[in-house]
Each structure stands twice: as structure tokens, then as C-alpha cells.
Amino acid sequence: MIKKILKSIGPGPLVAAAFIGPGTVTVCTIAGVKFGLALLWAMVISILITVVFQEMSARLGVISQRGFAELIKTEIKNPILNIFITVLILLAIVLGNAAYQAGNISGAVLGLSVLNEVYTIDIFGLTINIYSLLIGAIAFSLLYIGNYKILERSMISLVVFMSISFVIAAIITKPDLGSILSNIITFRTPENSLLTVVALIGTTVVPYNLFLHSALAKEKWKDKSNLKLAQTDTIIAVVFGGLVSMSIIITASSLYIEGVENASDLALGLAPVYGNAAKYVLALGLFAAGITSAVTAPLAAAYVACGCLGWSTKLNSSKFRLVWMLVLLIGVIFASTGIKPVKIITIAQIANGLLLPLIALMLIWMMNQRHILGVHVNSKTQNLISVALLVFVVFLGMKSILQAFQWI
């Protein structure tokens, strides 16, 4: 029975690993420290939006046996529009993921730095963090093997380890279950919390995951009869990932710390109140979050670039490897220069936030193409829900932009 369940697990955990990175840990920490449990409802909305759009992405991959990026290249017939969208996606996703990669590696380094002192070496006048090189080497090894099954199993193990760490950290703080439930079902935005609400949604509904999921789904499932497995895998993984994010908010809400710069502040803040064991648990979770995202970000960039440019999307193809190697290298270099992770992650999140509506619209349009999906096109209800959720995200994004300009 267990063996059968494990076989049915697909790319869902990899997608969860992609959005539970250092960026998510940082944003959830800020949400918990500043607003307590008040924004738990925003994570529920985030989970719902992510389930809807990731299910469409998985369905697209399983039924068409092509990735989202490949379909954009072939289905947008207007050459000028095709080039414009392709260049926009390439710049935003590939360069954006390079920025995320620096944040991912830096986040994993922060987890290790809580456990042990940081070791550096000087090369040509530059001070290089040894941990950055180590994490880059681990990500390189997992990606270079070029075997989907090995990659999938490795990532599932890391995701399970990461999830257990964050959930244990939340349990250690002995939260009030009644208060948690109340804030999950009560929609309220405390003063100055709107930008954090948008950040919580933006760090969960990740544009590059829409490309990654469709590409991985076609790798995992070659037959249309597996669609139900793909949908179940998506729902379970995303909901579980959302619960992990909520655990981080719950953990952070128990502390009274100021000036949160990164997720390691949460681990360090736990020690005086709950002991060193809590600090170590959370630090290990942060390390695992960084490693998993350090693998998925270059992988997604490679799928997008190769799909848009018409190159092979096989894991062991030379051009595919070239793209993820470039993204990984950029991430390692920037992570080793001492740039603060929060700044790197913020830049990437802004780019993703601007790109999400366009990508989501293209995905909805693609899901209504009968020559691609046959009877598996979106129903009217699915279209209504997906468009309504998209409008909600755009509305929040525009409102937060206006609020930000008022602050400026």
C-alpha cells in the first residue's frame, strides 16, 4: 500500500519545494512578527489560488505531453507577439530565477550559519563563503545526474525533512488552536498589512512554477489516464506546502523581535524563549528550504528557456544543462558577495508579481484550446473561478502599488 502511494507521488512536492524557499520563510516570518496570526487567512487564499493554477499546469502537461513554454512558442501565431512574449518570459523567468537562486543559496547558508560559524576564503580579492560553494555543489550534483526519478526522490526527502522541521517548530511554541482557527476564517487587514498580504500570495503563487509543473508532469506521467493522479498529487502537495507556510507564521507570531532582516532571525529568536533545540530545528528547516529551491529555480529556468527557444527539454541535453548551470553559477557568485538575501528576493518577487497576470492569462487561454486538450479543456466553472482569482490578485497588486507610492 505504502509502495503504491509513493509511486503515485509526482512533481507536486517539487512544486511545493519551489515556493517554500527562503523568500517564503522570510515573508512568513515578517507576517508573524508584525501581525501575529492575523494574516493566516491570506495563506488560505494563497493555497486556493495555487491549487487552481497548478492543477491547470499539471493537466496541460499530462494531456498535451508538452511544457507550457513549448506551447507558448507554437500556439501564439502572430510572430511579433510571439517574439515579444517569448523575450519577456525569458528575461523575467531566467533572470528572475538567477536572482531567486542567489536568495535560495543565501537562505541555505543562513540556516547553516545558525548551526556553525561561517567559513570564508579569499580569491582574487573577493571573500567567498564556503557554504555557498557547498550548496551550489549539492544543487549541481542533483541536476547534473539528469535522472528524473533520482531528482524526484531526493527532493521529496528534503521536502519531508523541511516540513517536519517547520511544523515541529510551530508545535514547540504551543500556539492557541482556537486563535489559529479564528484567524484562518476571519478576513481582516491590520494597518499597514496590505503589502504583506500581497507578498504572502506572491511568494506562494510563483509564475515559474506554472512552467515547471507542466514540464515535470509530462516527465512523470505519459498517459492521459494518469490525470487523476496528477491532480491529486497537486492538491495534496500544495495544501501541505501551505500548511508549512502557516506553521512558520505561527512560530514567528510567538516572538517579540524587531528588524527582521532574514529568516535566520526567527531561528535565533526562538533560542532565548524555547531553548537551543528549537533554534536548531528551524535552522535545519531553513537549510532544507534553501537547498530544495536552489535545485528547482535553475531547473525551471532551463525548462522555460529551452521550451521558448525550441531546444530539447531533456534533463541530460547539453543546452538544457547549459541554462541551469548559468543560473546556478550566477546564484553562487551573488550569494558569495555578501548581498543581503532580502534585497535579492524582493527584486525577484516584484518581477514575478508584474509577470503573473500575463502568464496566468496565457495559461487560462491555453486551457480552453480544444485542439490541445480535447475533452480536458476548462469547464465554464473552472474558467469562472480562475478568472475571478486572477482579478483578485491583480486588484491586490494594484492596490499595494498605489499604497507603496503613497508611502514614497
Side-chain angles (χ1 to χ4, degrees):
M1 179 68 178
I2 295 176
K3 191 175 181 180
K4 187 178 180 181
I5 292 172
L6 290 174
K7 279 188 176 181
S8 67
I9 295 175
L14 277 77
V15 171
F19 74 73
I20 310 175
T24 299
V25 179
T26 301
V27 171
C28 290
T29 298
I30 292 171
V33 168
K34 287 188 175 181
F35 307 106
L37 302 175
L39 300 184
L40 284 177
W41 66 268
M43 279 310 309
V44 175
I45 296 295
S46 300
I47 294 167
L48 174 62
I49 296 171
T50 306
V51 165
V52 169
F53 284 103
Q54 294 299 155
E55 184 280 328
M56 288 194 288
S57 176
R59 181 163 27 118
L60 186 67
V62 173
I63 302 302
S64 71
Q65 283 299 294
R66 286 182 287 173
F68 186 21
E70 297 173 72
L71 286 165
I72 288 174
K73 180 176 177 60
T74 57
E75 294 301 317
I76 299 178
K77 306 300 182 183
N78 185 300
I80 296 176
L81 183 61
N82 190 303
I83 292 172
F84 173 76
I85 291 177
T86 298
V87 170
L88 185 64
I89 290 173
L90 281 173
L91 288 174
I93 298 294
V94 177
L95 293 183
N97 278 23
Y100 264 122
Q101 187 64 359
N104 293 333
I105 294 173
S106 297
V109 168
L110 287 172
L112 288 178
S113 66
V114 172
L115 302 172
N116 199 2
E117 63 178 293
V118 176
Y119 296 97
T120 60
I121 56 174
D122 290 327
I123 300 177
F124 301 117
L126 290 175
T127 302
I128 305 297
N129 189 315
I130 292 293
Y131 288 155
S132 295
L133 300 179
L134 173 64
I135 292 158
I138 294 172
F140 181 92
S141 301
L142 288 173
L143 288 166
Y144 193 81
I145 291 170
N147 185 296
Y148 174 75
K149 286 185 178 179
I150 293 175
L151 180 64
E152 179 186 82
R153 288 168 185 171
S154 301
M155 295 298 287
I156 288 172
S157 300
L158 283 167
V159 168
V160 170
F161 176 78
M162 170 185 69
S163 303
I164 291 173
S165 298
F166 287 130
V167 171
I168 288 175
I171 293 172
I172 287 173
T173 64
K174 298 179 181 179
D176 183 340
L177 296 180
S179 182
I180 290 173
L181 181 60
S182 173
N183 283 284
I184 284 175
I185 61 177
T186 303
F187 293 74
R188 61 191 180 93
T189 52
E191 188 178 356
N192 298 328
S193 67
L194 182 60
L195 290 176
T196 307
V197 170
V198 175
L200 287 171
I201 295 173
T203 197
T204 308
V205 191
V206 184
Y208 77 71
N209 261 351
L210 299 177
F211 294 96
L212 179 64
H213 205 165
S214 61
L216 293 178
K218 73 180 179 65
E219 292 282 346
K220 174 71 176 182
W221 293 293
K222 302 295 184 182
D223 194 281
K224 295 178 182 179
S225 62
N226 292 320
L227 180 58
K228 286 292 182 184
L229 286 175
Q231 291 170 326
T232 302
D233 172 68
T234 301
I235 293 169
I236 292 174
V238 172
V239 170
F240 191 72
L243 291 176
V244 171
S245 295
M246 291 171 74
S247 296
I248 299 168
I249 295 175
I250 291 167
T251 304
S253 70
S254 70
L255 302 177
Y256 297 94
I257 54 178
E258 295 182 1
V260 177
E261 286 289 336
N262 51 58
S264 68
D265 291 339
L266 177 57
L268 294 171
L270 284 176
V273 186
Y274 302 104
N276 283 331
K279 177 183 75 172
Y280 294 143
V281 166
L282 202 63
L284 288 170
L286 177 57
F287 168 71
I291 286 285
T292 53
S293 294
V295 172
T296 54
L299 186 64
Y303 274 122
V304 169
C306 293
C308 287
L309 297 172
W311 298 344
S312 171
T313 55
K314 290 183 179 180
L315 290 171
N316 57 3
S317 72
S318 57
K319 290 180 179 177
F320 189 91
R321 282 176 169 168
L322 179 63
V323 176
W324 67 251
M325 282 181 186
L326 182 61
V327 172
L328 181 58
L329 179 62
I330 292 172
V332 170
I333 291 172
F334 276 91
S336 301
T337 58
I339 298 175
K340 288 187 177 181
V342 172
K343 291 182 179 179
I344 301 169
I345 293 166
T346 300
I347 292 169
Q349 284 175 338
I350 290 170
N352 275 346
L354 294 173
L355 190 64
L356 178 60
L358 175 62
I359 291 177
L361 275 174
M362 285 193 293
L363 180 61
I364 295 170
W365 172 74
M366 203 80 72
M367 298 306 297
N368 284 278
Q369 303 305 304
R370 197 166 290 275
H371 69 281
I372 297 174
L373 294 164
V375 298
H376 299 286
V377 293
N378 271 3
S379 65
K380 290 182 180 178
T381 302
Q382 287 172 318
N383 280 329
L384 183 63
I385 292 172
S386 57
V387 170
L389 291 175
L390 176 60
V391 169
F392 175 73
V393 171
V394 172
F395 169 75
L396 276 182
M398 292 300 295
K399 194 171 180 181
S400 67
I401 289 171
L402 290 174
Q403 189 177 89
F405 273 115
Q406 286 176 0
W407 287 351
I408 293 171

